Amino acid sequence: DYSAMITQRLGLGANSLVIEVAANDGYLLRNFVQAGITCLGVEPTAATADAAEAQSVPVLRQFFGTALGQKLASDGKQADLIIGNNVYAHVPDINDFTAGLKAALKPCGTITLEFPHLLQLIEHNQFDTVYHEHFSYLSLHAVQRIFQAQELRLWDVEQLPTHGGSLRVYGIHADDPRPSTQAVADLLATEQQQ
């Protein structure tokens, strides 16, 4: 559903590039491959990278950060769409990771990140979602500040039911002409009130 929705929303096609960080076994990117959209997975784990490649998903077997984002850009591989599902809370240096996202993003590209929403964790006492693999517990306010530090901007946000309540944020370059949606302002206001 996500791949069909985002392909239509962003007008992705044969000349587009989709990069997924923490691409795992290629389960998501295979949909873009089948649609004829060029994609690249970034996945440091050998067994899952092997599984992705078996589904015709090209994979870089590295951890993602500023250095890799800059290398992709210098190699002419800036993305129209960068996807990061359930990885943002897991990275030890979230600022370096975000700088890499900015470097690898085309001037009019879009980033989508999904992660558990801190507001839901607190409101519903979801103590079972607190564990050693999470380095961060993220609110929309926190992500907005992290993005702003890298000259990125929140363009849109969706609330998802996964993991007891998650967010899918849409990021763009700060100077992108697309106006931010009302959903961003509304959720920021909700967080502020809570």
Side-chain angles (χ1 to χ4, degrees), residues 21-97:
V21 293
N24 217 320
D25 63 359
Y27 187 80
L28 177 59
L29 286 182
R30 69 182 181 171
N31 297 297
F32 294 98
V33 170
Q34 290 168 1
I37 299 169
T38 304
C39 62
L40 176 65
V42 178
E43 176 54 56
T45 309
T48 50
D50 288 344
E53 289 172 339
Q55 297 187 73
S56 302
V57 174
V59 178
L60 280 178
R61 296 166 185 244
Q62 298 179 39
F63 285 98
F64 188 82
T66 302
L68 183 54
Q70 290 172 343
K71 180 168 183 0
L72 288 167
S74 69
D75 291 346
K77 294 182 180 175
Q78 285 185 308
D80 298 276
L81 171 63
I82 301 176
I83 305 165
N85 290 340
N86 300 305
V87 63
Y88 207 44
H90 293 247
V91 295
D93 189 342
I94 201 166
N95 294 304
D96 178 75
F97 185 90

Side-chain angles (χ1 to χ4, degrees), residues 92-116:
D93 189 342
I94 201 166
N95 294 304
D96 178 75
F97 185 90
T98 307
L101 295 175
K102 177 171 177 59
L105 188 66
K106 278 187 183 172
C108 292
T110 301
I111 300 163
T112 68
L113 302 174
E114 294 181 21
F115 50 84

Side-chain angles (χ1 to χ4, degrees), residues 151-169:
E151 297 181 4
L152 294 168
R153 178 168 54 86
L154 291 172
W155 170 43
D156 197 6
V157 62
E158 297 174 39
Q159 297 181 67
L160 307 172
T162 51
H163 301 291
S166 295
L167 297 181
R168 177 185 293 145
V169 297

